[in-house]
Amino acid sequence: MTLWLIIRRSLRQHALSTLVSAGSIALAAGLMMCVWMVKTQAHAVFTATNTGFEAVLGARGSKLQLVLNAIFHLEASPGNVAASDYEAIKRHPAVRTAIPIAVGDNLRGYRIVGTLPEFFAVEYVPGKSFAVQPGGRFFTDGEREAVVGSFAARRLGLKIGDTFQPYHGLNFDPNALHEEVYTVTGVLAPTNTPADRVLWIPLSGVQTMSGHDPRAATDVSAVLIQLRAPTAGFMLDMMYNRQGNRLTLAFPVGTIIAELFNKISWFDRVLALVAGLVALVAAGSVLASSYSSMSARRRDLAILRALGAKRRTVFSAVLGEAAVIGMIGAVAGFAVYFLLYLGVAEVILAQTGVVLPVTAWHPVLAAAPLGMIGLCLLGGLLPAVQAYRLSVADTLAPTS
Amino acid sequence: MLEITDLKKSFRTPEGRMVEVVNLESFTFAAGAQAALRGESGSGKTTLLNLIAGIVTADSGTVRIDGAEMTALPEAGRDRLRAEKIGYIFQTFNLLQGHTALENVLLGMGFGPRGADRSQARQLLERVGLAHRLDHFPRQLSTGQQQRVAVARALANRPALVLADEPTGNLDRRHAAEALTLIREICRESGAALLLVSHDETALAQFGQVGDFAALNRAVREACA
């Protein structure tokens, strides 16, 4: 009780430096947790996102570009796939489902994707199929109707019965308005997948949109594929990627995204380094704060010693103070972590439609706060040793 | 209760010379007694009290309190004995500025054998007339009130011996007289012996038994010779 009273009062007496130190610890702990969690969760979520398809067939080019374009609706299409190629893969005995998509238009930056109604029957995660919110329905093939992803609908303010005119291109250009008018027939129930950011219209709508090249009116941008057996993917990989030279098969989708993460792993390391440096600066701040307050506290500590406090008591008081600063910082670090993580998750959601789980657990959520408390203890060690070695007589008593 | 034999203490001056400050052949003090030592500033009075309290270690000689030899104890033992047996009223009060009056007294108890007792600390402060100032910080108290907190803190562990170092040095004549009366009364009530050192004749006049520290301290005698 006595030790806690000493620590509590000292922290209050030096409230400003306590707050600054705890704040820097919170920032460091929060930053470390956020960097780590975003990295691990993004890796886990993105590599698991395939909207129910194991492979993507597209024009010859980068597999990553193909996956980003067809699954995540991010990149430009690497080119078109001829209708005959689509028909061929559709009839292939190893293929269970082949759904074509066509891209090339947008509505105020949100991508418009043409596909077949069968797309909505696919389970985007095991056991879950696309559904429209109450009052809506999926579009009818061949009609100028649209089903809007939940995120896009919210951002664009679209609801059932609303109409819109697509803009040409994947990026919004107000001067590139198509003349066709589409009516919203449904809004997708949230799927937490990239499909939420898309306006879905019939395949033929994109293929025959005014201003599009009529020679490509039967082409598709990519074909999303479900296989009858996973091993079939290796056979198709051999057929399209090694023996053929016109098309690219991206398989398996998760592995291709994992390769992307490997390519940008240097960025993770830079972020981790920055977080580590912030942690060191925070620990240094505790050391500097404890050390500079020691001169002001020497007299108080000497008085405590004169009252009968043992050397180890004042040592513990100073070290305990550093630990409490660390603990306050660690607790506040969770607030910083959640704010940063929610911010990053919101950006990722807005950019990709992928939701990072907020309640995910990882050992770093324990290691980072405990590590910061450890660093604080290390920072408080030197002032604590000074307190331990304090001479009561020299500090307190004149030799009269 | 207090026995001092051949107690010596020297300090090294900034110039590197060793100067003997205390050289006391013999000094005894009975339990519950109240006495004062007269001494000029710089005569070694505070050093003597610090030697008795075990804050400063003696070069030689013994200090025995209630049968326990302070000078033979290691530092942790001296800390314990000080917390258990001695109450110290400093000239400048030495209150902890970041703690309230009540907390200052609680901390005085905290290192003693019985530990902090909030109700007893409260009673002590009520006894010195500070019932309405329990949660005030030293800066919010007058000098006289600070002095009374220091008195309550010194008595917090029911010490056998109270050492008072110029306790009225920072008070005006009226408050000095009141403070001394209070210190003596409280020590008498608790059965603690009181040894006061001062150069203030008004303060010394309150004591029946007043010793001349200069006469006792051979170090001073030799320096003056």
Side-chain angles (χ1 to χ4, degrees), chain A residues 330-341:
Chain A
V331 170
F334 278 101
V336 173
Y337 156 64
F338 276 114
L339 283 175
L340 287 176
Y341 188 81

Side-chain angles (χ1 to χ4, degrees), chain A residues 51-77:
Chain A
T51 330
F53 298 96
E54 289 112 0
V56 181
L57 183 68
R60 195 70 174 175
S62 151
K63 291 180 183 177
L64 179 61
Q65 186 184 359
L66 193 55
V67 169
L68 289 176
N69 172 59
I71 302 288
F72 290 91
H73 308 292
L74 290 172
E75 277 278 341
S77 169

Side-chain angles (χ1 to χ4, degrees), chain A residues 8 32 61 152 166 192 195 230 270 318 326 332 343 345 379 399:
Chain A
R8 193 161 48 91
M32 286 177 89
N192 294 338
V270 170
V318 174
T399 52

Side-chain angles (χ1 to χ4, degrees), chain A residues 204-217:
Chain A
S204 57
V206 175
Q207 288 173 321
T208 59
M209 193 83 72
S210 58
H212 285 190
D213 185 354
R215 288 170 297 176

Side-chain angles (χ1 to χ4, degrees), chain A residues 9 60 72 124 153 155 251 323 342 397:
Chain A
R9 281 301 188 189
R60 195 70 174 175
F72 290 91
Y124 58 88
R155 288 296 172 95
F251 169 83
L342 288 175

Side-chain angles (χ1 to χ4, degrees), chain A residues 279-331:
Chain A
L280 278 179
V281 170
S285 138
V286 173
L287 169 65
S289 154
S290 298
Y291 197 79
S292 63
S293 71
M294 265 307 288
S295 57
R297 298 181 57 198
R298 287 174 67 86
R299 189 169 182 80
D300 278 3
L301 293 171
I303 293 169
L304 289 171
R305 293 271 292 110
L307 292 175
K310 294 181 174 60
R311 282 187 188 276
R312 67 167 185 265
T313 306
V314 292
F315 175 86
S316 304
V318 174
L319 204 57
E321 206 176 304
V324 171
I325 289 174
M327 282 188 255
I328 294 170
V331 170

Side-chain angles (χ1 to χ4, degrees), chain B residues 6-225:
Chain B
D6 289 328
L7 187 66
K8 289 182 182 174
K9 180 65 186 176
S10 300
F11 288 105
R12 188 178 294 278
T13 65
E15 294 79 33
R17 267 188 319 118
M18 291 302 290
V19 175
E20 190 173 58
V21 178
V22 171
N23 184 342
L24 208 60
E25 189 175 356
S26 173
F27 183 79
T28 56
F29 203 58
Q34 294 195 350
L37 286 177
R38 177 191 291 110
E40 294 305 314
S41 296
S43 61
K45 305 186 299 291
T46 299
T47 302
L48 173 65
L49 296 192
N50 285 339
L51 284 164
I52 294 171
I55 291 172
V56 172
T57 51
D59 296 336
S60 62
T62 59
V63 172
R64 198 178 287 275
I65 299 165
D66 252 1
E69 193 178 330
M70 177 70 91
T71 38
L73 292 171
E75 189 178 59
R78 295 200 305 274
D79 292 339
R80 190 164 49 246
L81 188 61
R82 181 164 65 249
E84 287 176 6
K85 301 282 186 187
I86 296 172
Y88 203 141
I89 304 170
F90 299 91
Q91 181 178 355
T92 51
F93 315 143
N94 280 340
L95 297 181
L96 293 153
Q97 297 300 315
H99 295 258
T100 64
L102 184 65
E103 288 169 352
N104 264 280
V105 179
L106 281 170
L107 283 172
M109 292 174 167
F111 307 113
R114 282 171 288 272
D117 180 336
R118 191 167 280 268
S119 70
Q120 199 203 331
R122 203 180 286 267
Q123 278 173 21
L124 269 167
L125 284 167
E126 284 168 7
R127 173 64 189 87
V128 297
L130 291 176
H132 59 305
R133 294 281 189 267
L134 300 179
D135 296 322
H136 284 58
F137 288 91
R139 65 177 179 280
Q140 297 169 318
L141 300 172
S142 69
T143 312
Q145 288 169 332
Q146 289 182 40
Q147 164 72 294
R148 282 186 268 167
V149 176
V151 171
R153 187 178 67 182
L155 271 295
N157 278 327
R158 299 179 212 163
L161 172 64
V162 172
L163 303 172
D165 184 8
E166 301 273 17
T168 57
N170 289 322
L171 301 177
D172 60 38
R173 190 176 292 269
R174 185 171 69 85
H175 284 105
E178 283 176 10
L180 268 182
T181 305
L182 180 69
I183 292 169
R184 296 191 68 191
E185 273 178 18
I186 291 183
C187 286
R188 198 173 297 121
E189 288 165 14
S190 65
L194 171 64
L195 177 61
L196 176 142
V197 296
S198 180
H199 68 276
D200 179 4
E201 288 301 333
T202 316
L204 295 169
Q206 289 208 21
F207 285 81
Q209 191 185 345
V210 178
D212 186 358
F213 185 60
L216 290 169
N217 190 4
R218 283 185 296 195
V220 176
R221 287 209 308 268
E222 284 164 17
C224 295

